[in-house]
Each structure stands twice: as structure tokens, then as C-alpha cells.
Amino acid sequence: MIIGLIGKANVGKSTFFNAATELAAPSGNYPFTTIEPNVGVAYARVKCACREFGVQDNPVHSICIDGNRFIPVKLIDVAGLVPGAHAGKGLGNKFLDDARQADVLIHVVDASGSTDSTGKSVPAGTADPMFDLKFVEEEFDLWMAGIVSRDWSKTSREAESQGQKLEQMLAKRLSGLAIAEHHVSGAIHESELGSKKPTLWTDDDILHFCKVLRARAKPFIVAANKADLPAAEANIERMRQAGMAVVPCASEAESMLKKASKKGILHYLPGDNSFVVKPSMPLNEQQKKALDLVKGLMEKYGSTGVQEAINAACFGLLHLVVVYPVEDEVKLADKKGNVLPDVRLLPEGSTAKYLAATVHADLAKGFLYAIDARTKQRIGGDHKLKGGNVIKIVSAASRG
């Protein structure tokens, strides 16, 4: 699962990226800290099953802190956008190449209105973040429309004369964008173009279809950054009134809390609604003032917003569910004795056999049944899993 981080220059996108990819945890050799310069690992946060079962877990590819499981997800810091990016202006081609890989997008905007359309600093409140939101969506839609409309007359004729399914043809053309056939067919239905012959689709029809397709295949959530500045509150309200999914954010505050936590100054976990300064750590006046400002922000919005944005992308937009595969349903362990060692983020509605396939293809191929560790009941391959399930897969391959 890949989250793309998009936005114009100077809105705090890099600060958000750095804050999201550095887990505030005790120093140690944790996995997936950095993949490459513009690709890192953020973490979805959920309540860990260890507390419910009353066990001490030993995560292998995730982290558990104070009963909170942090599950790694890939975060791509997509190249900045400028108007006209779909036509190759600025780093438009680089942006589109990066963004095509993402399953979901977090659009970081300067909610304080202190950067213009080119990313230059202006007095807070004088720029319009609504413009940023509109032009990014338009650039994405126009880019998709450019791909779909390429050789459209030939594609549409073939769909009609040769009886090929249009959704299959478009899905094949868009497969490099991580867009599946179900996205395409759903968008055709929603845009009410299913009953219209493809040869009669106009440029406006194609653009409308692409708008619907983008919303389905590349959903956005808005990280309203710099929410700690006075001018941001009114703009955040405007975004919400426009029906946008918005998370108020203060990336610099998140970074500050994580650094202070690593230094042992305070106790804080990403996504917490507060922090606790350790009594043994005296603070100077500047530090006290900075932390008071952060505390006020968290009281107002519930958190710094960075972790909330990651979670909203995973669970609010993609509707992923958390499942723990184990090899021993009694000890909740793997062969080495690690308790609750693994955790998977799966699409809503995933089956037990699908879980097996994510662990190893051979497990799915030889799938016999699964066992729900809570109920100790056998479940079939087509059984739909729920969030928090702890599941043992029994396969001919595992009996092997």
C-alpha cells in the first residue's frame, strides 16, 4: 500500500514527510526507516491485539509501543506541482510518474494562505488555499484525460466493432497508474456513460469520466498544514464547508514533539492528543513557550494531525482492515515463538484465503481452512475477515 504526498512548494510538504517517516520511539534498529531519498515509511497506528489477549508481543516487521501497533506503509514524497504540470511544466512529468504509483494521496496545503501559486511566501491570509486544491485536482484530471483520449477514435471503434469491453481496454491502458478494471467500470457507471456509445464520447465526457475515475482510484485527503497560524482556521472551515475531507495539521509541531521525545524530554506517541513533560527534564522559557503553543493546538484540533492524516488515508479512504496472521492460534506465535509477530493491512472484505496469499502463494494454493484465534472456530477460504482478527492458516503447504 502506497501513500503519495502531493502539494506545491513551500507548504510544508517536506516537513510533513519527515515528521511522518520518523517514529518517535526509543532508539533501535527498526525496519524500513528509509528506502530512498523521496520514499520513506510512515506508520498506520491501531490499538494492538496484545492488550486484549493479555500477551507480550514480539513484532517483527512492525512496532508495538504501549499497546499501540505501528504498521509500516510506504510514503512517496511526490515532486511539487505548478499549474500546467499535465503539459510538462515545472516538474510535471516527474510528479505524474511518482503519483501514478500511489493508492491514495495526501494533499498538503498551506491552510494559512501564506504561499502563492508558485510557492513564494506572502503575508498570511493573502493567498487562497482553495486555489491550490482546485488546480492540483484539475492537473491530475487533465493528465488522466490526456492518457485516455490518446487514439480515442481507434479505441472506441474497436470497443464497438470488435465487441471488446471498453472497461477492459481502458484498464489495460491505465494499468501503469495502478488503476484496476473495477475502478474503470465503476467510473463509467457513476459518470452515466455506460449507455452512450464510446464513439460518441466527447472531450467533456472523457474529462468527466476521468474526474470520477480519479476520485475512485486515487482518492485525496487534505492535510491543512500550518494550522497553528491564525489565518488557517477560517480556511479550514471553508474547505470543510466545500465537502472536502480535511485534517488540520502542524507538521513542525509534530517534528518538535518527536525530537523532544527521542531526547527524553517528554513522553509522546504519534497520534496522541497530548504529551507529558518528564519532571526530571528542566525546560527553558523558549521551550516552555513552544510547547504551550503546541498544547493549545492539540487541545483545539485533537492532535498535530500528521498521524491522523496517515490513518485517515488508510482507514477512512481505503477502508483497510488490520489482521494478524499466526502459526499457533493458542500461543498466538510463529515457529520461532514470536507473539503476534506479523500484521497485515488488507482491503475491506478480504477473505481468509486472500490473507494466505499475502503471506505466501503456496499457502493460498494449498489452502484447507483457517482458525479464528478468538473463537477457535474453523473458517473457510471465502470467509470475510474483520479488523483485529488473529488468524491461523492451515494449508497443505504448511503441513508439508
Side-chain angles (χ1 to χ4, degrees):
M1 206 280 293
I2 301 175
I3 299 174
L5 197 63
I6 64 173
K8 70 181 184 186
N10 207 25
V11 296
K13 184 163 65 75
S14 295
T15 306
F16 183 104
F17 178 83
N18 292 333
T21 54
E22 184 176 359
L23 185 64
S27 297
N29 294 320
Y30 295 111
F32 309 119
T33 51
T34 303
I35 300 172
E36 54 186 81
N38 68 328
V39 180
V41 173
Y43 296 82
R45 172 180 170 169
V46 297
K47 288 292 182 184
C48 185
C50 67
R51 291 291 173 90
E52 178 190 345
F53 285 92
V55 296
Q56 177 63 54
D57 56 358
N58 310 95
V60 177
H61 296 300
S62 57
I63 303 167
C64 183
I65 306 173
D66 297 340
N68 297 283
R69 186 67 71 111
F70 290 88
I71 307 166
V73 295
K74 187 181 289 188
L75 185 66
I76 298 178
D77 187 9
V78 177
L81 261 186
V82 297
H86 73 280
K89 290 184 179 180
L91 294 175
N93 292 330
K94 177 70 169 103
F95 162 83
L96 299 171
D97 185 59
D98 289 341
R100 68 176 175 80
Q101 306 171 57
D103 300 294
V104 63
L105 298 165
I106 296 176
H107 184 186
V108 181
V109 300
D110 179 356
S112 72
S114 56
T115 49
D116 67 15
S117 61
T118 63
K120 293 180 181 178
S121 295
V122 295
T126 59
D128 186 5
M130 299 295 285
F131 170 81
D132 299 345
L133 293 169
K134 183 178 179 182
F135 98 73
V136 166
E137 289 191 7
E138 287 181 345
E139 289 297 330
F140 218 103
D141 297 339
L142 289 168
W143 168 58
M144 273 194 182
I147 296 172
V148 171
S149 61
R150 192 180 305 143
D151 297 325
W152 180 254
S153 59
K154 179 183 177 182
T155 301
S156 60
R157 285 197 307 271
E158 288 180 356
E160 292 182 23
S161 64
Q162 298 180 21
Q164 296 188 49
K165 293 181 67 175
L166 181 63
E167 50 264 50
Q168 290 179 346
M169 297 174 70
L170 290 178
K172 184 177 181 180
R173 176 171 293 187
L174 296 167
S175 60
L177 281 63
I179 292 176
E181 186 177 335
H182 70 88
H183 292 133
V184 176
S185 58
I188 291 175
H189 175 74
E190 186 179 337
S191 57
E192 299 181 342
L193 290 168
S195 60
K196 190 173 184 177
K197 289 184 177 181
T199 53
L200 299 178
W201 284 26
T202 64
D203 289 343
D204 286 342
D205 289 334
I206 292 174
L207 182 58
H208 175 55
F209 162 74
C210 289
K211 286 178 182 289
V212 176
L213 179 61
R214 187 259 308 156
R216 283 175 165 268
K218 305 288 182 182
F220 281 73
I221 190 166
V222 177
N225 202 33
K226 305 185 185 181
D228 50 327
L229 299 183
E233 185 173 4
N235 285 327
I236 291 171
E237 184 58 30
R238 287 172 62 208
M239 294 177 204
R240 286 175 169 166
Q241 288 180 355
M244 298 174 181
V246 181
V247 177
C249 288
S251 302
E252 289 187 357
E254 177 73 6
S255 290
M256 182 176 71
L257 290 178
K258 286 183 175 179
K259 288 175 183 177
S261 180
K262 281 198 168 186
K263 290 179 180 178
I265 296 173
L266 50 81
H267 179 76
Y268 169 74
L269 288 181
D272 280 355
N273 58 12
S274 62
F275 56 87
V276 178
V277 178
K278 296 183 179 180
S280 59
M281 300 300 296
L283 302 177
N284 59 41
E285 288 303 313
Q286 185 177 2
Q287 289 172 322
K288 288 180 181 178
K289 185 176 180 180
L291 288 176
D292 283 343
L293 290 173
V294 175
K295 185 170 290 185
L297 171 83
M298 297 174 83
E299 289 174 351
K300 184 175 185 178
Y301 292 116
S303 71
T304 67
V306 174
Q307 184 64 56
E308 187 180 345
I310 298 295
N311 272 29
C314 293
F315 305 118
L317 293 183
L318 294 181
H319 305 289
L320 302 178
V321 296
V322 175
V323 179
Y324 301 81
V326 296
E327 294 183 67
D328 185 328
E329 76 277 16
V330 177
K331 296 181 179 179
L332 310 181
D334 62 12
K335 290 179 180 177
K336 296 181 180 180
N338 294 310
V339 177
L340 295 174
D342 196 9
V343 60
R344 300 295 166 106
L345 288 170
L346 304 180
E348 189 176 43
S350 293
T351 64
K353 190 170 183 178
Y354 180 85
L355 171 64
T358 69
V359 177
H360 198 287
D362 288 344
L363 284 180
K365 187 176 181 180
F367 184 94
L368 298 172
Y369 58 90
I371 300 175
D372 186 321
R374 282 186 179 81
T375 65
K376 302 300 187 288
Q377 297 294 313
R378 288 190 180 190
I379 56 178
D382 59 353
H383 178 85
K384 292 184 178 180
L385 303 175
K386 297 180 180 179
N389 276 168
V390 180
I391 302 293
K392 173 184 178 177
I393 304 295
V394 179
S395 169
S398 61
R399 288 181 166 183

